[in-house]
Amino acid sequence: EAGVAQSPRYKIIEKRQSVAFWCNPISGHATLYWYQQILGQGPKLLIQFQNNGVVDDSQLPKDRFSAERLKGVDSTLKIQPAKLEDSAVYLCASSKQGIGNTIYFGEGSWLTVV
Amino acid sequence: GIQVEQSPPDLILQEGANSTLRCNFSDSVNNLQWFHQNPWGQLINLFYIPSGTKQNGRLSATTVATERYSLLYISSSQTTDSGVYFCALVGSGGSYIPTFGRGTSLIVHP
């Protein structure tokens, strides 16, 4: 079974530029998560999708971050314009429908904003 | 939202030693998982354990939901066990957000 795929793995951009991250969840997984992990901290949920609907985006900085999950499969997370404090690892995860299921993570996309 | 506290924050062991990592939480849970984050940043699921005890090789985990804590046991530690261990959980209070603790950073010396 293929795992959660993410790209790009690494990205360096200047502040005020934009960046997009892509995620392909495990086949058949209805729930998709985007997490932000700053060095030395635990992952923080940015947005959670159930199929192509948003379950929770209360911690997503909506003035600069956006995410979509078209057709309930792949998802993209965009940051525009980027700030220095956005430097982090962006982790995508997926699980079967419902909260009583194991969550599987991708390898992450490392973002450095200079 | 639900609060998650992990202890100890840092742990240094000699290869072959045993250790216990703890995760305390503030509310009843529907979902609790332990993860290992390797030095390359990959989060690997170790256990899905909202209650009870599970074992997988040198690792085992116990969650006592009524007392709101979970323990991860590592026996005969190896250098490859180094990394950060996180517990993540979903409370039963209506929120579906999986919340992570701050992690326990483990270094195993040869």
Side-chain angles (χ1 to χ4, degrees):
Chain A
E1 180 181 72
V4 177
Q6 290 189 245
S7 68
R9 286 296 317 278
Y10 306 95
K11 191 75 175 178
I12 301 174
I13 61 172
E14 295 183 348
K15 59 183 179 183
R16 292 187 290 275
Q17 286 187 325
S18 62
V19 63
F21 302 112
W22 172 83
C23 173
N24 181 243
I26 292 173
S27 177
H29 281 195
T31 306
L32 186 146
Y33 313 83
W34 282 103
Y35 279 85
Q36 179 194 59
Q37 186 177 20
I38 294 173
L39 189 65
Q41 299 182 16
K44 181 186 82 171
L45 183 75
L46 293 176
I47 189 166
Q48 180 175 338
F49 292 96
Q50 183 79 4
N51 297 306
N52 60 351
V54 175
V55 174
D56 192 288
D57 63 357
S58 58
Q59 300 185 99
L60 186 73
K62 298 180 184 65
D63 58 334
R64 298 183 300 106
F65 286 65
S66 65
E68 60 181 9
R69 189 182 185 195
L70 299 176
K71 301 179 181 178
V73 181
D74 293 6
S75 178
T76 56
L77 175 70
K78 296 179 182 178
I79 307 173
Q80 182 178 17
K83 293 186 176 181
L84 296 177
E85 58 261 37
D86 298 332
S87 295
V89 180
Y90 292 86
L91 296 159
C92 181
S94 71
S95 66
K96 294 180 181 178
Q97 189 161 342
I99 60 175
N101 290 287
T102 302
I103 300 171
Y104 298 91
F105 280 83
E107 293 182 308
S109 293
W110 297 66
L111 173 65
T112 300
V113 182
V114 298
Chain B
I2 195 165
Q3 304 299 311
V4 185
E5 291 186 3
Q6 291 188 245
S7 60
D10 302 283
L11 190 56
I12 300 175
L13 301 174
Q14 283 297 125
E15 203 167 26
N18 302 327
S19 61
T20 301
L21 283 58
R22 187 176 181 102
C23 174
N24 290 334
F25 42 94
S26 61
D27 202 353
S28 54
V29 296
N30 284 322
N31 181 332
L32 188 149
Q33 291 183 238
W34 281 96
F35 292 90
H36 175 221
Q37 188 166 42
N38 64 25
W40 297 271
Q42 172 84 54
L43 277 161
I44 307 296
N45 176 66
L46 298 175
F47 294 103
Y48 170 79
I49 188 164
S51 64
T53 297
K54 291 186 178 179
Q55 181 159 5
N56 184 4
R58 297 181 296 102
L59 302 181
S60 63
T62 295
T63 297
V64 184
T66 53
E67 298 188 19
R68 299 182 182 171
Y69 72 87
S70 183
L71 302 174
L72 178 68
Y73 305 97
I74 305 174
S75 64
S76 304
S77 58
Q78 300 177 357
T79 56
T80 51
D81 295 331
S82 296
V84 183
Y85 290 81
F86 290 101
C87 69
L89 46 88
V90 178
S92 58
S95 168
Y96 298 100
I97 299 175
T99 301
F100 279 73
R102 294 183 65 90
T104 292
S105 176
L106 173 65
I107 298 174
V108 181
H109 289 301

